């Protein structure tokens, strides 16, 4: 039996709906496998801004920092007209958690299910054999140009009488590159031992340093067949020959963009889970934050339409990486696959002319399947 404390941050938009399904799944795992999970729910994003004046309060942050894992839903954008340049923004919750909890490696597996090949915008023959994982650097780069604590890293709009200009800073230290590249090589060793490091070394100095570090780390992992690839080439190959990739490691912004592109291979961004890990250990794994890759989707929020699979598979990653519960994680993944194979589809993955189920029904079917495993 495992005991664990899990911070739950459902957040905005469809976040609460999909997180509810992930929690139902974890409750079944608890009961079936006799574990004991303690959940602490907190506010993030728009609700936190309204109630507490900040996207994540110190006390919610501390709750996360003292848990074994964080289950995260989504954070939205402020409605048009309400955003003040210097005011709190919902995404700040994510940036603070990623940075201050040291979560530098964002794992995003992309493994299209065969029954969903028809839902993808790619032809099935291109999808066959596709099974890759992105390791996106998550706590540096352009996203953190804003940190006032780091002088010389501006990210601002400057308006003077003479002109208006804007600047963002893309800064990486060698250590920031090395730790994520090492994590990616280790993941490659446990998989098919192929790694693609993605950069823009023909333009960016940060990418030239990135290559240097990759070459050094590669020497410690002789069994991994690896290559450098420019980000534009990678964007093209992802839709031309996706099955050629195994592990892809890249910097923060490239990883953000490429994973949305790769999500389309699975049929919908609603299918993709993610795990954000650092170097802090828990009793039987690594501390981490788990969230579906889709955002808050305000257009469908509260309408029982969102696909809960990304959130449920994120809960599976939580079981595996933070709690060391491999068998339980595999059972959750198998339940999802079974339900999809059975023809159960939310609207984002339903083929034209086929009936779709709602978020709750999809969640209920996964839970039923898991109970019967
Ligand atoms: C993601 C999201 C976030 C990011 C947004 C919400 C700031 O797109 O997790 O991929 O860009 O990192
Ligand atoms: Mg994104």
């Amino acid at each position: 039996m495992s005991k664990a404390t899990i911070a739950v941050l459902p957040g905005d938009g469809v976040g609460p709906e999909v997180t509810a399904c992930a929690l139902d799944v974890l409750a079944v795992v608890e009961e079936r496998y006799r574990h004991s999970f303690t959940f602490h729910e907190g506010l993030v994003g728009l609700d936190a801004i309204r109630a507490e004046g900040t996207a994540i309060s110190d006390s919610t942050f501390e709750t996360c920092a003292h848990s074994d894992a964080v289950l995260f839903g989504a954070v939205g954008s402020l409605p048009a007209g309400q955003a003040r340049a210097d005011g709190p923004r919902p995404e700040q919750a994510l940036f603070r958690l990623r940075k201050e909890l040291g979560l530098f490696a964002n794992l995003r597996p992309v493994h299209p299910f065969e029954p969903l090949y028809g839902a993808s915008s790619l032809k099935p023959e291109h999808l066959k054999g596709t099974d890759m994982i992105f390791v996106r650097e998550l706590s540096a780069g352009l996203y953190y140009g804003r940190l006032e604590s780091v002088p010389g890293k501006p990210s601002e709009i400057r308006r003077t009488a003479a002109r208006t200009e804007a600047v963002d800073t893309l800064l990486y230290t060698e250590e920031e590159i090395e730790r994520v590249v090492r994590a990616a090589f280790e993941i490659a060793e446990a998989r098919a031992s192929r790694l693609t490091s993605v950069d823009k070394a023909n333009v960016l100095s940060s990418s030239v340093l990135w290559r240097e570090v990759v070459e050094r780390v590669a020497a410690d992992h002789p069994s991994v067949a690896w290559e450098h690839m420019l980000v534009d080439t990678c964007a093209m190959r992802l839709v031309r020959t996706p099955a050629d990739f195994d592990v892809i490691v890249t910097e923060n912004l490239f990883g953000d963009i490429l994973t949305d592109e790769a999500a389309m291979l699975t049929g919908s961004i609603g299918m993709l889970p993610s795990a954000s890990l650092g170097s802090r250990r828990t009793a039987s794994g690594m501390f981490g934050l788990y969230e579906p890759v889709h955002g808050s989707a305000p257009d469908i929020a509260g309408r029982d339409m969102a696909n809960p699979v990304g959130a449920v598979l994120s809960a599976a990653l939580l079981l595996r990486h933070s709690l060391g519960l491999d068998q339980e994680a595999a059972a959750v993944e198998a339940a999802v696959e079974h339900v999809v194979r059975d023809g159960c589809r939310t609207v984002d993955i339903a083929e034209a002319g086929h009936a779709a189920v709602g978020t709750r029904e999809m969640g209920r079917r996964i839970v039923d399947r898991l109970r019967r495993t």
Side-chain angles (χ1 to χ4, degrees):
M1 165 173 154
S2 279
K3 280 188 176 206
T5 306
I6 301 171
V8 181
L9 306 175
D12 303 321
V14 300
E17 295 166 71
V18 298
T19 304
C21 296
L23 287 174
D24 288 346
V25 163
L26 289 177
V28 176
V29 168
E30 227 184 327
E31 170 196 310
R32 289 229 34 184
Y33 297 86
R34 303 188 185 288
H35 300 306
S36 166
F37 303 152
T38 307
F39 298 98
H40 294 294
E41 199 165 318
L43 289 181
V44 281
L46 292 170
D47 285 346
I49 291 175
R50 285 190 202 106
E52 302 166 329
T54 167
I56 178 165
S57 68
D58 290 343
S59 88
T60 303
F61 178 84
E62 286 307 317
T63 302
C64 295
H66 291 103
S67 301
D68 295 300
V70 181
L71 187 67
F72 194 95
V75 283
S77 309
L78 282 172
Q82 281 188 32
R84 284 201 339 261
D86 57 344
R89 290 174 299 120
E91 315 81 72
Q92 286 163 344
L94 262 182
F95 300 152
R96 177 170 183 196
L97 288 164
R98 290 171 178 176
K99 185 79 179 178
E100 294 182 28
L101 295 174
L103 304 172
F104 58 82
N106 180 225
L107 278 42
R108 296 185 167 185
V110 179
H111 184 192
F113 290 164
E114 212 175 318
L116 287 183
Y117 281 4
S120 169
S121 38
L122 251 63
K123 296 188 189 108
E125 61 265 33
H126 294 314
L127 294 170
K128 219 171 165 349
T130 298
D131 181 3
M132 69 182 101
I133 184 165
F134 280 85
V135 183
R136 168 188 173 193
E137 199 293 321
L138 200 63
S139 59
L142 280 168
Y143 278 67
Y144 291 92
R146 281 178 187 281
L147 285 188
E148 291 81 24
S149 56
V150 185
K153 283 184 71 185
S155 171
E156 64 203 14
I157 300 178
R158 297 166 181 158
R159 298 175 208 276
T160 64
R163 63 172 178 180
T164 300
E165 61 184 21
V167 59
D168 290 292
T169 304
L170 171 43
L171 188 140
Y172 268 102
T173 66
E174 203 173 9
E175 290 71 28
E176 284 165 343
I177 301 171
E178 181 161 344
R179 62 191 182 178
V180 72
V181 168
R182 280 204 187 279
F185 270 93
E186 279 160 23
I187 290 168
E189 277 174 340
R191 290 177 48 107
S193 277
R194 285 184 289 120
L195 179 140
T196 306
S197 170
V198 175
D199 62 52
K200 190 70 184 172
N202 51 350
V203 180
L204 303 174
S205 304
S206 54
S207 288
V208 173
L209 178 61
W210 184 281
R211 284 198 174 198
E212 249 179 67
V213 173
V214 168
E215 285 160 26
R216 181 154 42 77
V217 174
D220 298 336
H221 301 272
S223 66
V224 177
W226 66 277
E227 62 186 337
H228 293 302
M229 190 178 284
L230 294 173
V231 63
D232 44 354
T233 306
C234 181
M236 179 183 69
R237 298 252 177 105
L238 275 174
V239 288
R240 197 179 67 175
T241 46
D244 285 355
F245 292 104
D246 179 25
V247 177
I248 298 180
V249 62
T250 191
E251 67 89 48
N252 207 342
L253 184 64
F254 294 160
D256 178 46
I257 299 168
L258 293 175
T259 52
D260 268 34
E261 184 193 359
M264 291 301 96
L265 308 174
T266 67
S268 164
I269 196 160
M271 297 294 295
L272 244 60
S274 84
S276 302
L277 307 175
S279 46
R280 195 188 114 200
R281 298 201 59 83
T282 58
S284 28
M286 302 296 294
F287 172 76
L289 179 146
Y290 301 84
E291 58 174 321
V293 172
H294 65 72
S296 62
D299 51 327
I300 58 164
R303 295 169 62 191
D304 194 35
M305 283 171 75
N307 186 346
V309 167
V312 168
L313 292 178
S314 297
L317 294 179
L318 183 158
L319 294 167
R320 176 173 297 123
H321 293 290
S322 288
L323 310 188
L325 301 175
D326 270 322
Q327 191 197 345
E328 290 81 343
V332 172
E333 288 160 351
V336 168
E337 204 160 339
H338 190 277
V339 163
V340 169
R341 209 175 284 283
D342 248 11
C344 188
R345 305 271 193 281
T346 42
V347 66
D348 56 320
I349 49 173
E351 283 175 62
H354 285 70
V357 302
T359 311
R360 285 195 292 268
E361 177 63 11
M362 187 82 172
R364 198 182 60 73
R365 300 260 196 114
I366 296 169
V367 159
D368 281 355
R369 180 69 214 171
L370 189 60
R371 279 219 174 86
R372 283 188 281 121
T373 325

